[in-house]
Amino acid sequence: MVFAVSDPPVRPAAPDDEPVQPWQYDRSRAPVAVKVLVAGGFGVGKTTFVSSVSEITPLRTEAVMTQASLPTDDLSATPDKGTTTVAMDFGRVTLDDDLVLYVYGTPGQERFWFMWDDLVRGAIGGIVLADTRRLRDCFPALDYFESCGLPYAVAVNHFEGSHAYEPQDVREALTIPAHVPVEIMDARRRETVVASLLTLVGHALDATPA
């Protein structure tokens, strides 16, 4: 018995007012999706950073702070803070027609650092968010990215009432290598957050072997 093999039927193109069907989608034109992390100390502005830039409703895993955390969580710089991230923040931002970033904010307290090993998988780079009033709080994130070989940039979140420092001053205070970008930004302002992410992506591409 012989079976005739015919060409698959040609599907007509969908009218402009109809949604594109899966079989019409050109996968070669799909944007590249990459993952980046935002790390730093407790209360440094990671949740604000992700929320400011996300084009979707950001995922937050915040819990109300209780009296039990007072001995370990320093609220001297952020006395009005009433919640804290216990797992991660997540947002998405389209930087160009062919580039989408998935942004993950890490928890800041030491008791949640075990989450970092899961969040870092698949990331192309990380941003270390720093507060000049307590620069020592970003050392764990710096050490972590250095130890796992992940390209990173430092973004100084300038809080109202804090002294304004030049990037070179921050670089020297943290002994950051010359090739690592350092930027001054405001996590509440989307344009400065986008600029920080663009800097990170460019640095990560430069650090990736051809």
Side-chain angles (χ1 to χ4, degrees), residues 4-166:
V5 179
S6 59
D7 294 331
V10 178
R11 300 179 184 270
D16 293 339
D17 58 348
E18 291 186 9
V20 175
Q21 301 299 316
W23 49 266
Q24 296 173 314
Y25 187 65
D26 184 359
R27 294 184 181 275
S28 67
R29 300 177 60 186
V32 175
V34 297
K35 175 182 180 181
V36 298
L37 298 188
V38 182
F42 168 73
V44 78
K46 298 181 294 296
T47 298
T48 301
F49 184 104
V50 175
S51 299
S52 295
V53 77
S54 182
E55 62 197 16
I56 62 173
T57 301
L59 170 65
R60 301 174 179 174
T61 58
E62 291 191 297
V64 176
M65 299 179 63
T66 66
Q67 295 292 324
S69 69
L70 292 181
T72 56
D73 295 334
D74 182 9
L75 294 174
S76 58
T78 54
D80 298 327
K81 186 174 178 60
T83 60
T84 185
T85 300
V86 296
M88 67 176 182
D89 299 305
F90 171 75
R92 185 190 71 196
V93 56
T94 302
L95 293 183
D96 203 346
D97 292 339
D98 59 354
L99 180 61
V100 175
L101 293 188
Y102 292 111
V103 186
Y104 290 77
T106 66
Q109 295 100 314
E110 183 175 357
R111 59 186 179 277
F112 299 128
W113 286 353
F114 68 91
M115 293 287 301
W116 293 16
D117 289 336
D118 290 325
L119 293 175
V120 76
R121 294 175 183 171
I124 66 161
I127 284 183
V128 177
L129 211 56
D131 179 354
T132 56
R133 299 171 299 177
R134 44 202 175 102
L135 282 177
R136 66 182 183 276
D137 290 354
C138 67
F139 279 117
L142 291 172
D143 293 341
Y144 184 82
F145 289 157
E146 286 281 1
S147 66
C148 63
L150 189 72
Y152 67 91
V154 175
V156 180
N157 188 16
H158 182 59
F159 286 81
E160 292 182 5
S162 63
H163 185 76
Y165 291 92
E166 295 296 324

